[in-house]
């Protein structure tokens, strides 16, 4: 075994010399014309000898169907010239998914697969003039099942090698024979759906330690699916036979591990005395049985697609935390080639797909041609190489060579994205798309965040804590996180912030905790407090640490909380912790408030998972009740609430309604626009959109319009750029998306067509005069500068206020000059006894964490009130 070496080969001659130096058997050929030959696959023909291997992108839509990036990847493969596209692992059950974004085929999304198949075939014909062969890989992830983000292993046998890696105890249950019997039916149904979608063949995945692969090595399992070779191969054989019989429109096949590189009795295809040596007797027998069943092609893999020292996946830059393989990458390639050659010899009547050649980069075709010419395989599969270079086949068959500047560099960053929970693709060659995805995924990974947490200086009187409206003890939770005391870290967070996950998603850390981290001053690189908090909260939900802690006995006093946004929820949670009984009233159908309804999904998908995880115990025993669809002023009055409850907390939020002038069709309030866009009620915009305003809501509206297809989005703001009230990160994000900032521009009205629909915004240029009451320089119109900015949609983000119907319901509650609810100094108490308030209705709309802090403060005041014996308003 030779030492690991980085790729340094330039020419075919370099490759030959390196093979000779290492004493390896790996045929190569300078004549690559054989790669352009057609290959029969049953009654079909692949137009060339190349196949796309099933590489998951983890970019499915919410329902498990192909997402936008799925379409992008496969249409690039189709246009790139490959003759056989082996579609990635697609789960047959939700519980069988290895990732919440893994593809999953079921009756409700089959139409989307049909759409993709049709698009692939059309693209291949239009770009290359040929028809492609399409195979879908159907899978059950088994011990790698992780359908909702947390591991939920379903294992076929206990393994002394794998169980410790997954922290599985000796008594962890195995899937039953009855479960596996039913799984056959599930696979058959999935094959029917695949046929309906237009696929040519179905592969029952039996590689890489997933469930069917694990069954092949279930020597220690009892029952119909373990022990003997017949039993261990039963699920694969019987399922493929049933699909062949019951779904005659598709051909059957599998991608199978021929060698697991795991000691007997836990590995398949391994020597019983030395697992570092293959023993292919059983894999050959299985391949022959599959050929006899009618499989017209066989796809061979070995080991696990991630680094295994005895499998030797050839890396140049191993992913973080893994040592380089203790062998030259060419040794791993030669081993894989020898095993594939043996399997091809076992089934000479059908083509076998070889793979594992990506490390060779632009020299790969020479090895592929040599292997195929000498009978070692009939097809060549590309996996991560296709991620990087989807048009490699077209380039090769057109020019006779592959472009070294487009080849995979074997960095394994695509694997790292997958491990970190992101959407997977080539970080190096497709960097505009996957570079940010890699960085985003890395920055939320546990190993990265643990390392970053070590930079916390654990300051005395920390400035990060004083800059947080909730005054979270940042050094305490970051230090506990660093030391692996995760539960303690989370409890420290929850002590100060009732909704830490929500706040981690939406709060402006760059101007709060991180903006005041001393590392920001020293290095301009603050400790990633927000990312650590977010990952810690996700972990807490997975581990079940989030549930509100309820006293065994309820305390005296019922409290009405109006508004189930950050302030109202925080107040309710703290009151429940003090034993009080709480009824939440909200005008919307769900809890979550403004963040949940309006903040774009790229920043906050849904607040509901955290809210439900926290409040579930209280709802279950009746300590908390949510009265949805109940609005103050419309359905409730303050008088009614003070009559029926011992205290009231007002946190109903604000409404839109501040408008530039007479309503015109095509002019929307920003809150309505964002709410409808997030719910999918608006899925596109006109080419030109104007957004009026300069705050965070305006930035969200502008960015949303861009994402919904607007070619030009104009943000109109009457003051200068430096006076924009939006947070810097929100402003910069809008600039990155291409929003046009028209500063010193004052909208004065609208232009409309004869039908009364907006056609543009009337704008006058401004210049800044002396400061006004706000302390900012006041804008003054420049005479003669009037013009009309054409726009097909205008979004107004120029103010929020207490709705009139709510204002009328606030009997006995004094308002401020700005029309907000007035509270006493350093208190949440309003001018009406027993009524408290917080959140946007008091502060005018700032941050979620400020609302949380105000809600928690109000809860403590209410708790003192009720504890004093004064229990009536």
């Amino acid at each position: 075994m030779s030492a690991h070496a980085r790729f340094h080969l330039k020419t075919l001659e370099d490759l030959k010399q390196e093979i000779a130096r290492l004493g390896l058997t790996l045929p190569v050929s300078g004549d690559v014309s054989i790669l352009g030959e057609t290959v029969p696959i049953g009654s079909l023909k692949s137009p060339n000898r190349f196949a796309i291997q099933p590489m998951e992108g983890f970019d499915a839509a919410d329902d498990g169907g192909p997402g936008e990036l799925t379409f992008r990847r496969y249409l690039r493969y189709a246009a790139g010239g490959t003759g056989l596209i082996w579609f990635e692992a697609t789960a047959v059950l939700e519980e069988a998914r290895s990732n919440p974004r893994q593809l999953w085929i079921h009756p409700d999304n089959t139409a989307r697969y049909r759409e993709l198949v049709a698009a692939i075939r059309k693209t291949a014909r239009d770009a290359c003039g040929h028809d492609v062969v399409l195979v879908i890989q159907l899978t059950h992830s088994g011990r790698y099942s992780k359908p909702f983000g947390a591991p939920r292993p379903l294992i076929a046998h206990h393994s002394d090698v794998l169980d410790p890696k997954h922290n599985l105890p000796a008594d962890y249950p195995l899937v039953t024979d009855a479960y596996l019997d039913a799984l056959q039916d599930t696979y058959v149904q999935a094959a029917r759906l695949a046929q309906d979608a237009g696929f040519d063949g179905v592969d029952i995945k039996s590689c890489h330690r997933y469930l069917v692969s694990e069954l092949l090595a279930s020597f220690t399992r009892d029952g119909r699916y373990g022990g003997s070779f017949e039993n261990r191969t039963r699920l694969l054989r019987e399922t493929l036979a049933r699909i062949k019989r019951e779904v005659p429109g598709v051909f059957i096949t599998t991608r199978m591990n021929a060698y697991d590189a795991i000691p007997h009795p836990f590995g398949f295809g391994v020597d019983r005395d030395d697992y570092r040596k293959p023993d292919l007797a059983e894999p050959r027998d299985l391949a022959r049985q599959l050929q006899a069943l009618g499989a017209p092609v066989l796809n061979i893999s070995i080991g696990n697609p991630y680094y295994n020292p005895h499998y030797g996946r050839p890396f140049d830059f191993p992913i973080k935390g893994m040592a380089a393989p203790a062998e030259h990458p060419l040794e791993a390639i030669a081993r894989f080639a020898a095993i594939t050659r043996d399997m091809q010899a076992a089934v000479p009547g059908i083509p076998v797909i070889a793979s594992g050649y990506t490390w060779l980069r632009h020299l790969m075709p020479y090895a592929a041609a040599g292997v195929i010419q000498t009978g070692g395989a009939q097809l060549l599969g590309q996996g991560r190489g296709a991620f990087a270079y989807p048009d490699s086949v077209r380039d090769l068959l057109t020019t006779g060579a592959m472009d070294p500047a487009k080849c995979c560099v074997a960095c394994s960053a695509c694997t790292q994205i997958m491990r970190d929970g992101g959407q997977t693709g080539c970080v190096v060659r497709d960097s505009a798309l996957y570079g940010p995805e890699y960085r985003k995924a890395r920055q939320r990974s546990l190993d990265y965040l643990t390392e970053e947490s070590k930079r916390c200086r654990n300051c005395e009187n920390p400035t990060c804590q004083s800059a947080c409206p909730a005054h979270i003890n940042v050094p305490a939770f970051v230090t506990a996180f660093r030391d692996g005391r995760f539960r303690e870290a989370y409890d420290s967070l929850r002590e100060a912030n009732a909704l830490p996950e929500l706040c981690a998603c939406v709060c402006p850390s760059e101007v709060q905790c991180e903006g005041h981290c001393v590392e920001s001053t020293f290095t301009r690189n603050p400790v990633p407090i927000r990312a650590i908090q977010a990952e810690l909260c996700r972990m807490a939900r997975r581990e079940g640490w989030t549930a509100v802690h309820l006293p065994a006995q309820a305390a005296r006093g019922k409290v009405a909380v109006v508004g189930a946004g950050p302030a109202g929820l925080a107040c309710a949670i703290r009151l429940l912790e003090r034993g009080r009984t709480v009824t939440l009233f909200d005008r919307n159908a769900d809890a979550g408030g403004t963040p949940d309804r309006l903040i774009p999904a790229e920043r906050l998908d849904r607040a509901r998972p955290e809210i439900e995880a926290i409040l579930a115990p209280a709802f279950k025993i009746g300590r908390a009740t949510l009265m949805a669809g109940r609005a103050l002023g419309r359905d409730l009055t303050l008088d009614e609430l003070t009559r029926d409850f011992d205290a009231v907390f007002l946190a109903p939020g604000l409404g839109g309604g501040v408008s530039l002038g007479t309503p015109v069709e095509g002019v929307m309030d920003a809150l309505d626009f964002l709410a409808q866009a997030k719910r999918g009620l608006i899925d596109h915009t006109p080419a030109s959109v104007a957004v009026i305003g300069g705050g965070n809501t305006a930035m969200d509206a502008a960015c949303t319009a861009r994402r919904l297809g607007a070619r030009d989005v104009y943000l109109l703001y009457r003051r200068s750029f430096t006076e924009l009230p939006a947070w810097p990160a929100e402003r910069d994000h809008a600039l990155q998306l291409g929003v046009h900032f028209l500063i010193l521009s004052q909208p004065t009205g609208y232009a409309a067509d004869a039908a009364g629909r907006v056609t543009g915004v009337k704008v006058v240029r401004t210049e800044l005069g002396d400061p006004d009451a706000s302390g900012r320089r006041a804008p003054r119109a420049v005479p003669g500068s009037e013009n009309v900015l054409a726009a097909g949609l205008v979004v107004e983000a120029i103010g929020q206020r207490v709705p009139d119907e709510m204002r009328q319901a606030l009997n006995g509650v004094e308002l401020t000059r700005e029309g907000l609810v007035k509270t006493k100094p350093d208190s949440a108490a309003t001018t009406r006894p027993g009524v408290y308030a917080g959140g946007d209705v008091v502060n005018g709309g700032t941050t979620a964490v400020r609302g949380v802090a105000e809600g928690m403060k109000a809860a403590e005041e209410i708790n003192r009130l009720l504890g004093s014996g004064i229990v009536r308003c």
Side-chain angles (χ1 to χ4, degrees), residues 658-675:
V658 178
S659 180
L660 187 62
T662 304
V664 176
E665 185 182 354
V667 177
M668 295 187 68
D669 176 76
L671 303 188
D672 291 337
F673 174 71
L674 289 169

Side-chain angles (χ1 to χ4, degrees), residues 60-67 90 97 100-106 109 113:
D62 290 342
D63 67 351
T90 303
R97 300 169 89 180
R101 307 297 297 189
Q102 185 181 30
L103 293 172
W104 165 35
I105 192 167
H106 53 80
N109 65 16
Y113 286 91

Side-chain angles (χ1 to χ4, degrees), residues 716-721 723 742-748 764-783 785:
L716 303 171
Y717 181 60
R718 60 182 181 162
R719 288 188 168 94
S720 70
F721 187 81
E723 293 181 291
L742 302 187
I743 59 171
L744 298 173
S745 299
Q746 173 71 62
T748 61
V764 63
R765 299 293 297 163
T766 63
E767 58 184 9
L768 299 183
D770 295 330
D772 59 16
S774 71
R776 296 176 296 171
R777 294 176 65 189
R780 299 184 305 206
V782 176
S785 65

Side-chain angles (χ1 to χ4, degrees), residues 730-789:
E730 301 308 309
R731 177 200 65 201
D732 294 346
H733 182 52
L735 286 168
Q736 291 167 5
L737 285 182
V739 173
H740 309 305
F741 282 63
L742 302 187
I743 59 171
L744 298 173
S745 299
Q746 173 71 62
T748 61
Y750 300 117
D753 58 22
R757 180 166 184 83
V758 70
T759 58
V761 184
K762 297 177 181 179
V763 182
V764 63
R765 299 293 297 163
T766 63
E767 58 184 9
L768 299 183
D770 295 330
D772 59 16
S774 71
R776 296 176 296 171
R777 294 176 65 189
R780 299 184 305 206
V782 176
S785 65
E786 296 84 359
N787 65 89
V788 176
L789 176 69

Side-chain angles (χ1 to χ4, degrees), residues 799-816:
Q800 300 177 48
R801 61 185 177 84
V802 177
D804 291 338
E805 62 181 14
M806 186 188 303
R807 185 191 300 260
Q808 294 168 6
L810 295 175
N811 183 32
V813 173
E814 187 178 338
L815 302 182
T816 66

Side-chain angles (χ1 to χ4, degrees), residues 417-464:
I417 297 180
M418 180 274 295
R419 289 191 162 195
D420 291 339
Q423 299 179 117
T424 305
C426 183
V427 176
V428 175
R429 303 306 189 195
D430 206 358
S431 59
L433 179 60
Y434 290 105
E437 184 70 18
Y438 175 84
R439 293 188 291 274
K440 180 175 71 174
R442 272 279 74 206
Q443 289 165 8
R444 60 177 285 179
S445 66
L446 185 60
D447 66 290
Y448 169 83
L449 293 174
T450 299
E451 193 65 29
E452 286 291 288
S453 68
K454 296 176 183 177
R455 295 196 292 113
C456 177
R457 294 172 181 258
N458 202 12
C459 303
E460 189 70 22
N461 300 316
T463 51
C464 54

